[in-house]
Amino acid sequence: MNLSQVLLSALKAHGAREVFGIPGDFALPFFREIESSGILPLYTLSHEPGVGFAADASARIRSTLSVAAVTYGAGALNMVNPVAGAYAEKSPVVVISGAPGKGESSAGLLLHHQAKTLDSQFAIYQEITCDQARLTDARTAPAEIARVLASCLRESRPVYIELPRDMVAEPCEPVVALGEPVVDDAALDACADEILARLAAAERPVLMAGVEVRRFDLEAQVAALARQLGIPVVTSILGRGLLAGHDAPLAGTYLGVAGAESVTAMVEDSDALLMLGVLVSDTNFGVSARQIDLRKAIVACDSEVTLGYHTYTHLPLGRVVRRLLERAPSARQVPTLPPPSYPHGMVADDAPIVPGDIARGINDLMARHGVMPIAADMGDCMFTAMDIAHQALVAPGYYATMGFGVPAGLGLQAATGERPLILVGDGAFQMTGWELGNCSRFGWDPIVLVFNNRSWEMLRTFQPESSFNDLSHWDFAGMAKGLGGDGLRVETRAELAAALEHAVATRGRFQLIDVSIPRGELSPTLKRFVEGVKRLSAPGAR
Ligand SMILES: Cc1ncc(Cc2c([C@H](C)O)sc(CCOP(=O)(O)OP(=O)(O)O)c2C)c(N)n1
Ligand SMILES: [Mg+2]
């Protein structure tokens, strides 16, 4: 085999099911190998941010690694933001960048696509990936690939592989995958016993499931642990939708002052908050009604477990959860909690549409026609998604970048074969919505809801005096046909209900519903979030 075939075979063996990419002259030989080998299908998109977001969504929905292949310089540096978002939100994307060959790097010329030095790109990616390799020697390449792919899966973070174009066809030995990391069994026992003792001594223990529970595919085990411990479970905003399909005493999603009061009180009153795979971030805890005393919490994330003032290291979450299951006593009873409630029954009348109507309309649609995986962009569409019952949601809930929604929806359909629902604001659609033009090539047919409030509305809620948040009324529906899909602008709830039904019934072409929303109308969750942030940031509030 040659180095490209070895790399592609190793990617597939480690869980990759496709390559998203855009070639360039430094990557053309590798793309030729991707296409000729047929080891993984190749989906090319139009702009590298879209490549990164699509690969990120594929990794999230399949809970394993995915691949984003780009050219050197202009391509790879165009993708820095999506990879940074994948790093922040623990999504295991493998970035493969073409690069100048050995001879041209030493020719003494400044090369096209070169920014500062030929090491600059590698240095930039060191900041947003957990491991890196430059495949400049076919003899060491298999071990380098094994190391980097093992890091990607172990840490559930992006990694970076630089592949000089004169190396792609070099003969190369296959990759031998590294085994599971060795874990100190005694430390694992001590940690599990300390956690169990802390929970047993508590009067109001609560389990919070976060993003790592999904990334490491631990939902069933965490649901079993909650039942065995007999304690209620909540999810963080990034863990939204976790455990929904499992038998777990699930109370809902913790959103601080922006969420259900019963869930907020349960978390903030807890005297033993067991946080499994939760990022301790401002979006998760920045709007806490009362500051959570983390010294009373148990935080298991990033292969560490912190209790009070001490930390156990090198204990992967999956091993901690399994050891807790082995050593936890069976609870006498499991709390019976009312399932989280979600709004249904949108009135299909001539009233204008507000974000809350969209959540109702989608919940009604899914109750009638079955659930769809959902990709949401940053903006009020993401806060609206908090009121949508279905659980398979990918969204930039912590890193909060715009542009994620449409490409992520395409990544979902490529990865799962299921038709996705995409929620995106007009501002975010202006960034990456054009990737819809690639649907017809690959047979993708998402349903896209554009929250068209002619505004950067989230920003206006924080700074209403600025008129630069006003956007003009782009006719996204009118542009759909030119992109190969169908578009419809809707102004009333009756039109929205009819458009959703028509979209579900129409397959084979993307269906874009351009939803006109009066400027200033917010989802209930965003409204509470903004009020909470303003209240909590007022002088003397905490
Ligand atoms: C790539 C990128 N650029 C800028 C921002 C800042 C930003 C927001 C966050 C706070 O950083 S929310 C927002 C406006 C979003 O407008 P739209 O998509 O129309 O959604 P909505 O009207 O529902 O707000 C911007 C510009 C961002 N998050 N990501
Ligand atoms: Mg908007």
Side-chain angles (χ1 to χ4, degrees), residues 378-380 400-402 425-428 431 453 455-459:
M378 180 63 203
D380 200 9
T401 180
M402 287 161 71
D426 55 321
M431 292 185 177
N453 50 21
S455 164
W456 286 331
E457 197 58 31
M458 263 200 79
L459 300 187

Side-chain angles (χ1 to χ4, degrees), residues 84-272:
Y87 186 91
E89 301 193 1
K90 302 216 69 169
S91 186
V93 174
V94 178
V95 175
I96 300 175
S97 174
K102 210 188 296 26
E104 49 198 328
S105 312
S106 55
L109 298 176
L110 289 172
L111 300 184
H112 65 285
H113 290 337
Q114 175 182 340
K116 190 175 179 184
T117 76
L118 290 177
D119 295 328
S120 299
Q121 178 171 309
F122 190 88
I124 289 164
Y125 268 87
Q126 279 180 307
E127 281 306 298
I128 52 175
T129 56
C130 69
D131 207 346
Q132 309 83 24
R134 293 169 108 159
L135 304 184
T136 53
D137 181 343
R139 291 165 301 175
T140 58
E144 293 276 87
I145 294 167
R147 167 177 58 81
V148 167
L149 298 189
S151 299
C152 186
L153 290 176
R154 183 183 64 251
E155 301 199 29
S156 189
R157 299 254 196 210
V159 294
Y160 174 75
I161 294 175
E162 195 164 289
L163 179 55
R165 59 179 165 181
D166 61 355
M167 290 297 296
V168 299
E170 286 294 296
C172 184
E173 290 301 311
V175 168
V176 177
L178 299 188
E180 286 281 312
V182 176
V183 172
D184 180 337
D185 230 27
L188 197 53
D189 283 345
C191 177
D193 290 346
E194 190 173 352
I195 292 172
L196 294 172
R198 181 74 74 88
L199 296 175
E203 289 171 14
R204 301 176 305 284
V206 173
L207 193 163
M208 182 183 285
V211 68
E212 282 193 344
V213 171
R214 175 172 280 128
R215 298 290 184 266
F216 294 118
D217 218 3
L218 295 170
E219 288 188 72
Q221 293 93 321
V222 171
L225 180 62
R227 291 196 304 273
Q228 190 167 326
L229 292 170
I231 62 177
V233 194
V234 300
T235 72
S236 66
I237 189 171
L238 261 181
R240 166 93 181 76
L242 280 168
L243 310 180
H246 294 264
D247 173 15
L250 182 64
T253 298
Y254 174 69
L255 293 170
V257 294
E261 285 177 14
S262 57
V263 173
T264 300
M266 179 186 290
V267 169
E268 297 177 5
D269 292 343
S270 172
D271 55 354

Side-chain angles (χ1 to χ4, degrees), residues 394-414:
V394 294
Y398 159 46
Y399 183 68
T401 180
M402 287 161 71
F404 179 87
V406 167
L410 305 186
L412 289 184
Q413 190 154 12

